[in-house]
Amino acid sequence: MKFLQDLFTERDGVSFCIGRVLGGASIIEMMVKFADINHVDYQSFAIGVAALIGALAAKNYSEK
C-alpha cells in the first residue's frame, strides 16, 4: 500500500495527484487493449506509453 501511495501522491505524500492516477489507469487500459487485439502494433503502443510518461514528467518538472 505504501508503494502505491508513493506512486500516486503529490510531493507532500498525502494528497493524490489526478494526473498520476489517470496516467496509471491509461497505461493499464493500453496494456489490456494491447493484449486483447489480434494484430499487434508495437510502435503505436510504445508511442502511447512514451507520451503518457512524457506528460507526467513535464507535470512533475513544472511543480517546482
Coordinates of all heavy atoms in Angstrom, one line a residue:
M1 N 0.8 -1.2 0.0 CA 0.0 0.0 0.0 C 0.9 1.3 0.0 O 0.5 2.2 -0.7 CB -0.9 0.0 1.2 CG -2.0 1.0 1.2 SD -3.0 0.8 -0.2 CE -4.3 1.9 0.1
K2 N 2.0 1.2 0.7 CA 2.9 2.4 0.8 C 3.5 2.7 -0.6 O 3.6 3.8 -1.0 CB 4.0 2.1 1.8 CG 5.1 3.1 1.8 CD 4.7 4.3 2.6 CE 5.9 5.2 2.9 NZ 5.8 6.5 2.2
F3 N 3.8 1.6 -1.4 CA 4.3 1.8 -2.7 C 3.3 2.5 -3.6 O 3.7 3.4 -4.4 CB 4.6 0.4 -3.3 CG 5.1 0.4 -4.7 CD1 6.4 1.0 -5.0 CD2 4.3 0.0 -5.8 CE1 6.8 1.0 -6.3 CE2 4.8 0.0 -7.1 CZ 6.0 0.5 -7.3
L4 N 2.0 2.1 -3.6 CA 1.0 2.8 -4.4 C 0.8 4.2 -4.0 O 0.6 5.1 -4.8 CB -0.3 2.0 -4.4 CG -0.3 0.6 -5.1 CD1 -1.6 -0.1 -4.9 CD2 0.0 0.8 -6.5
Q5 N 0.8 4.4 -2.7 CA 0.7 5.8 -2.2 C 1.8 6.7 -2.6 O 1.6 7.8 -3.0 CB 0.6 5.8 -0.6 CG 0.3 7.2 -0.1 CD 0.2 7.2 1.4 OE1 0.3 6.1 2.1 NE2 -0.1 8.3 2.0
D6 N 3.0 6.1 -2.7 CA 4.2 6.9 -3.2 C 4.1 7.2 -4.7 O 4.5 8.3 -5.1 CB 5.5 6.2 -2.9 CG 5.8 6.2 -1.4 OD1 5.3 7.0 -0.6 OD2 6.7 5.3 -1.0
L7 N 3.5 6.3 -5.4 CA 3.3 6.5 -6.9 C 2.3 7.5 -7.2 O 2.5 8.3 -8.2 CB 2.9 5.1 -7.5 CG 4.0 4.1 -7.8 CD1 3.4 2.9 -8.4 CD2 5.1 4.7 -8.7
F8 N 1.2 7.5 -6.5 CA 0.0 8.3 -6.9 C -0.2 9.6 -6.1 O -1.2 10.3 -6.3 CB -1.2 7.5 -6.9 CG -1.2 6.4 -7.9 CD1 -1.3 5.1 -7.5 CD2 -1.0 6.6 -9.2 CE1 -1.2 4.0 -8.4 CE2 -1.0 5.6 -10.2 CZ -1.1 4.3 -9.8
T9 N 0.7 10.0 -5.2 CA 0.5 11.2 -4.4 C 1.5 12.3 -4.9 O 2.5 12.0 -5.5 CB 0.7 11.0 -2.9 OG1 2.0 10.4 -2.7 CG2 -0.3 10.0 -2.3
E10 N 1.1 13.5 -4.5 CA 2.0 14.7 -4.8 C 3.3 14.6 -4.0 O 3.5 13.6 -3.3 CB 1.2 16.0 -4.5 CG -0.1 16.2 -5.3 CD 0.2 16.7 -6.7 OE1 1.4 17.1 -7.0 OE2 -0.7 16.7 -7.5
R11 N 4.1 15.6 -4.1 CA 5.3 15.7 -3.3 C 5.1 15.7 -1.8 O 6.0 15.2 -1.1 CB 6.1 16.9 -3.8 CG 6.6 16.8 -5.2 CD 7.5 18.0 -5.5 NE 7.7 18.0 -7.0 CZ 8.9 17.6 -7.5 NH1 9.9 17.2 -6.7 NH2 9.1 17.7 -8.8
D12 N 4.0 16.1 -1.3 CA 3.7 16.1 0.1 C 3.5 14.7 0.6 O 3.5 14.5 1.8 CB 2.6 17.1 0.5 CG 1.3 16.7 -0.2 OD1 1.2 15.7 -0.9 OD2 0.3 17.4 0.0
G13 N 3.1 13.7 -0.2 CA 2.9 12.4 0.2 C 1.5 12.1 0.7 O 1.2 11.0 1.2
V14 N 0.6 13.1 0.7 CA -0.7 13.0 1.3 C -1.8 13.1 0.2 O -2.7 12.3 0.1 CB -0.9 14.0 2.4 CG1 -2.3 13.9 3.0 CG2 0.1 13.8 3.5
S15 N -1.7 14.2 -0.5 CA -2.8 14.5 -1.5 C -2.5 13.7 -2.8 O -1.4 13.7 -3.3 CB -2.9 16.0 -1.8 OG -1.7 16.5 -2.2
F16 N -3.6 13.1 -3.3 CA -3.5 12.3 -4.5 C -3.4 13.2 -5.8 O -4.1 14.3 -5.8 CB -4.6 11.3 -4.7 CG -4.5 10.1 -3.8 CD1 -5.0 10.1 -2.6 CD2 -3.7 9.0 -4.3 CE1 -4.8 8.9 -1.8 CE2 -3.5 7.9 -3.5 CZ -4.1 7.9 -2.3
C17 N -2.6 12.9 -6.7 CA -2.4 13.6 -8.0 C -3.3 13.0 -9.0 O -3.2 11.8 -9.4 CB -1.0 13.6 -8.4 SG -0.7 14.3 -10.0
I18 N -4.2 13.8 -9.6 CA -5.2 13.3 -10.6 C -4.5 12.9 -11.9 O -4.8 11.9 -12.5 CB -6.3 14.3 -10.8 CG1 -7.4 13.7 -11.7 CG2 -5.8 15.6 -11.5 CD1 -8.2 12.6 -11.0
G19 N -3.4 13.6 -12.2 CA -2.6 13.3 -13.4 C -1.9 11.9 -13.3 O -1.9 11.1 -14.2
R20 N -1.4 11.6 -12.1 CA -0.7 10.3 -11.9 C -1.8 9.2 -11.9 O -1.5 8.1 -12.4 CB 0.1 10.3 -10.7 CG 1.3 11.3 -10.8 CD 2.1 11.3 -9.5 NE 3.1 12.3 -9.6 CZ 3.8 12.7 -8.6 NH1 3.6 12.2 -7.4 NH2 4.8 13.6 -8.8
V21 N -2.9 9.4 -11.3 CA -3.9 8.4 -11.2 C -4.5 8.1 -12.6 O -4.6 7.0 -13.0 CB -5.1 8.8 -10.2 CG1 -6.2 7.9 -10.3 CG2 -4.5 8.9 -8.8
L22 N -4.8 9.2 -13.4 CA -5.3 9.0 -14.7 C -4.3 8.4 -15.7 O -4.6 7.6 -16.5 CB -5.9 10.3 -15.3 CG -7.1 10.8 -14.7 CD1 -7.5 12.1 -15.2 CD2 -8.3 9.8 -14.8
G23 N -3.0 8.8 -15.5 CA -1.9 8.2 -16.3 C -1.7 6.7 -16.0 O -1.6 5.9 -16.9
G24 N -1.8 6.3 -14.7 CA -1.7 4.9 -14.4 C -2.9 4.1 -15.0 O -2.7 3.0 -15.5
A25 N -4.1 4.7 -14.9 CA -5.2 4.0 -15.4 C -5.1 3.9 -16.9 O -5.5 2.9 -17.5 CB -6.5 4.7 -15.0
S26 N -4.6 4.9 -17.6 CA -4.5 4.9 -19.0 C -3.5 3.8 -19.5 O -3.7 3.1 -20.5 CB -4.0 6.3 -19.5 OG -5.0 7.2 -19.2
I27 N -2.3 3.7 -18.8 CA -1.3 2.7 -19.1 C -1.9 1.3 -18.9 O -1.7 0.4 -19.8 CB 0.0 3.0 -18.3 CG1 0.7 4.2 -18.8 CG2 0.9 1.7 -18.4 CD1 1.9 4.6 -18.1
I28 N -2.6 1.1 -17.9 CA -3.3 -0.2 -17.6 C -4.3 -0.5 -18.7 O -4.3 -1.6 -19.3 CB -3.9 -0.3 -16.2 CG1 -2.8 -0.3 -15.2 CG2 -4.8 -1.5 -16.1 CD1 -3.4 -0.1 -13.8
E29 N -5.1 0.5 -19.1 CA -6.0 0.3 -20.2 C -5.3 0.0 -21.5 O -5.8 -0.9 -22.3 CB -6.9 1.5 -20.3 CG -7.9 1.4 -21.5 CD -9.0 0.3 -21.3 OE1 -9.2 -0.1 -20.2 OE2 -9.5 -0.1 -22.4
M30 N -4.2 0.6 -21.8 CA -3.5 0.4 -23.0 C -2.9 -1.0 -23.0 O -2.9 -1.7 -24.1 CB -2.4 1.4 -23.2 CG -2.9 2.8 -23.6 SD -1.5 4.0 -23.7 CE -0.4 3.3 -24.9
M31 N -2.4 -1.5 -21.9 CA -1.9 -2.9 -21.8 C -3.0 -3.9 -22.0 O -2.7 -4.9 -22.7 CB -1.2 -3.1 -20.5 CG 0.2 -2.4 -20.4 SD 1.2 -2.8 -19.0 CE 0.3 -2.1 -17.7
V32 N -4.2 -3.6 -21.5 CA -5.3 -4.6 -21.7 C -5.7 -4.6 -23.2 O -5.9 -5.7 -23.8 CB -6.5 -4.2 -20.8 CG1 -7.7 -4.9 -21.2 CG2 -6.1 -4.4 -19.4
K33 N -5.8 -3.5 -23.8 CA -6.2 -3.4 -25.2 C -5.1 -4.0 -26.1 O -5.3 -4.7 -27.1 CB -6.4 -2.0 -25.7 CG -7.6 -1.3 -25.1 CD -8.8 -1.9 -25.7 CE -10.1 -1.2 -25.2 NZ -11.3 -1.9 -25.6
F34 N -3.8 -3.8 -25.7 CA -2.7 -4.4 -26.5 C -2.7 -5.9 -26.4 O -2.4 -6.6 -27.4 CB -1.4 -3.8 -25.9 CG -0.1 -4.3 -26.6 CD1 0.2 -3.8 -27.8 CD2 0.7 -5.3 -26.0 CE1 1.3 -4.2 -28.5 CE2 1.8 -5.7 -26.7 CZ 2.2 -5.1 -27.9
A35 N -3.0 -6.5 -25.3 CA -3.1 -7.9 -25.1 C -4.3 -8.5 -25.8 O -4.3 -9.7 -26.1 CB -3.0 -8.3 -23.7
D36 N -5.4 -7.7 -26.0 CA -6.7 -8.2 -26.5 C -6.8 -8.3 -28.0 O -7.5 -9.1 -28.5 CB -7.8 -7.3 -25.9 CG -9.2 -7.9 -26.2 OD1 -9.3 -9.1 -26.1 OD2 -10.1 -7.1 -26.4
I37 N -6.0 -7.5 -28.7 CA -6.2 -7.4 -30.2 C -5.4 -8.5 -30.8 O -4.4 -9.0 -30.3 CB -5.8 -6.0 -30.7 CG1 -4.3 -5.7 -30.4 CG2 -6.7 -5.0 -30.2 CD1 -3.8 -4.4 -31.0
N38 N -5.8 -8.9 -32.1 CA -5.1 -9.9 -32.8 C -3.9 -9.3 -33.5 O -2.8 -9.9 -33.6 CB -6.0 -10.5 -33.9 CG -7.1 -11.4 -33.2 OD1 -6.8 -11.9 -32.2 ND2 -8.2 -11.5 -33.9
H39 N -4.0 -8.2 -34.1 CA -2.9 -7.5 -34.8 C -2.2 -6.6 -33.9 O -2.7 -5.6 -33.5 CB -3.4 -6.8 -36.1 CG -2.3 -6.0 -36.8 ND1 -1.4 -6.6 -37.5 CD2 -2.1 -4.7 -36.9 CE1 -0.6 -5.7 -38.0 NE2 -1.0 -4.5 -37.6
V40 N -0.9 -6.9 -33.6 CA -0.2 -6.2 -32.6 C 0.6 -5.1 -33.3 O 1.3 -5.4 -34.2 CB 0.8 -7.1 -31.8 CG1 1.6 -6.3 -30.8 CG2 0.0 -8.2 -31.1
D41 N 0.5 -3.9 -32.8 CA 1.3 -2.7 -33.3 C 2.2 -2.2 -32.2 O 1.7 -1.4 -31.4 CB 0.3 -1.7 -33.8 CG 1.0 -0.5 -34.5 OD1 2.2 -0.6 -34.7 OD2 0.3 0.5 -34.8
Y42 N 3.4 -2.7 -32.2 CA 4.3 -2.3 -31.1 C 4.7 -0.8 -31.1 O 4.8 -0.2 -30.1 CB 5.6 -3.1 -31.2 CG 5.4 -4.6 -30.9 CD1 5.3 -5.5 -32.0 CD2 5.2 -5.1 -29.7 CE1 5.1 -6.9 -31.8 CE2 5.0 -6.4 -29.4 CZ 5.0 -7.3 -30.5 OH 4.7 -8.6 -30.2
Q43 N 4.8 -0.3 -32.3 CA 5.2 1.1 -32.4 C 4.1 2.1 -31.8 O 4.5 3.0 -31.1 CB 5.5 1.5 -33.9 CG 6.0 2.9 -34.0 CD 6.3 3.2 -35.5 OE1 6.1 2.4 -36.3 NE2 6.8 4.4 -35.7
S44 N 2.9 1.8 -32.1 CA 1.8 2.7 -31.6 C 1.7 2.5 -30.1 O 1.5 3.5 -29.4 CB 0.5 2.3 -32.2 OG 0.5 2.6 -33.6
F45 N 1.9 1.3 -29.6 CA 1.8 1.1 -28.1 C 3.0 1.9 -27.5 O 2.8 2.5 -26.5 CB 1.9 -0.4 -27.8 CG 1.9 -0.7 -26.4 CD1 0.8 -0.6 -25.6 CD2 3.1 -1.1 -25.7 CE1 0.7 -0.9 -24.3 CE2 3.1 -1.4 -24.4 CZ 1.9 -1.3 -23.7
A46 N 4.2 1.8 -28.0 CA 5.3 2.4 -27.4 C 5.2 4.0 -27.5 O 5.5 4.7 -26.5 CB 6.6 2.0 -28.1
I47 N 4.6 4.5 -28.5 CA 4.4 5.9 -28.7 C 3.4 6.4 -27.6 O 3.6 7.4 -27.0 CB 4.0 6.3 -30.1 CG1 5.2 6.1 -31.1 CG2 3.4 7.7 -30.1 CD1 4.8 6.3 -32.5
G48 N 2.3 5.6 -27.4 CA 1.3 6.0 -26.4 C 1.9 6.0 -25.0 O 1.7 6.9 -24.2
V49 N 2.6 5.0 -24.7 CA 3.2 4.9 -23.3 C 4.3 6.0 -23.1 O 4.3 6.7 -22.1 CB 3.9 3.5 -23.1 CG1 4.7 3.5 -21.8 CG2 2.8 2.4 -23.0
A50 N 5.1 6.3 -24.2 CA 6.0 7.4 -24.1 C 5.4 8.7 -23.9 O 5.9 9.6 -23.2 CB 6.9 7.3 -25.3
A51 N 4.3 8.9 -24.6 CA 3.5 10.2 -24.5 C 3.0 10.4 -23.1 O 3.1 11.5 -22.5 CB 2.4 10.2 -25.5
L52 N 2.4 9.3 -22.5 CA 1.9 9.4 -21.1 C 3.0 9.7 -20.1 O 2.9 10.5 -19.2 CB 1.2 8.1 -20.7 CG -0.2 7.9 -21.4 CD1 -0.7 6.5 -21.1 CD2 -1.2 9.0 -20.9
I53 N 4.1 9.0 -20.3 CA 5.3 9.2 -19.3 C 5.9 10.6 -19.5 O 6.2 11.2 -18.5 CB 6.3 8.1 -19.5 CG1 5.7 6.7 -19.0 CG2 7.6 8.4 -18.8 CD1 6.6 5.5 -19.3
G54 N 5.9 11.0 -20.8 CA 6.4 12.4 -21.0 C 5.5 13.4 -20.4 O 6.0 14.4 -19.9
A55 N 4.2 13.2 -20.5 CA 3.3 14.2 -19.9 C 3.4 14.2 -18.4 O 3.4 15.3 -17.8 CB 1.9 13.9 -20.3
L56 N 3.6 13.1 -17.8 CA 3.8 13.0 -16.3 C 5.1 13.7 -15.9 O 5.2 14.3 -14.9 CB 3.7 11.6 -15.8 CG 2.3 11.0 -15.9 CD1 2.4 9.5 -15.5 CD2 1.3 11.7 -15.0
A57 N 6.2 13.4 -16.7 CA 7.5 14.1 -16.4 C 7.4 15.6 -16.5 O 7.9 16.3 -15.7 CB 8.5 13.5 -17.4
A58 N 6.7 16.1 -17.5 CA 6.5 17.5 -17.7 C 5.7 18.1 -16.5 O 6.0 19.2 -16.0 CB 5.8 17.8 -19.0
K59 N 4.7 17.4 -16.1 CA 3.9 17.8 -14.9 C 4.8 17.9 -13.7 O 4.7 18.9 -12.9 CB 2.7 16.9 -14.7 CG 1.9 17.4 -13.6 CD 0.9 16.3 -13.2 CE 0.1 16.7 -11.9 NZ 1.0 17.0 -10.8
N60 N 5.6 16.9 -13.5 CA 6.5 16.8 -12.3 C 7.5 17.9 -12.4 O 7.8 18.5 -11.3 CB 7.1 15.5 -12.2 CG 6.2 14.4 -11.7 OD1 5.2 14.7 -11.2 ND2 6.6 13.2 -12.0
Y61 N 8.0 18.2 -13.5 CA 9.0 19.3 -13.7 C 8.4 20.6 -13.4 O 9.1 21.5 -12.9 CB 9.6 19.2 -15.1 CG 10.7 20.2 -15.3 CD1 12.0 20.0 -14.8 CD2 10.5 21.3 -16.1 CE1 13.0 21.0 -15.0 CE2 11.5 22.3 -16.3 CZ 12.7 22.1 -15.8 OH 13.7 23.0 -15.9
S62 N 7.2 20.8 -13.8 CA 6.5 22.1 -13.6 C 6.1 22.4 -12.2 O 5.7 23.5 -11.9 CB 5.4 22.3 -14.6 OG 4.3 21.4 -14.2
E63 N 6.1 21.4 -11.3 CA 5.7 21.5 -9.9 C 6.7 22.2 -9.1 O 6.4 22.6 -7.9 CB 5.3 20.2 -9.3 CG 4.0 19.6 -9.8 CD 3.8 18.2 -9.2 OE1 4.6 17.7 -8.5 OE2 2.7 17.7 -9.4
K64 N 7.9 22.4 -9.5 CA 8.9 23.1 -8.7 C 8.5 24.4 -8.3 O 8.3 25.0 -7.4 CB 10.2 23.2 -9.4 CG 10.9 21.8 -9.7 CD 12.1 22.0 -10.4 CE 12.8 20.7 -10.7 NZ 14.0 20.8 -11.5

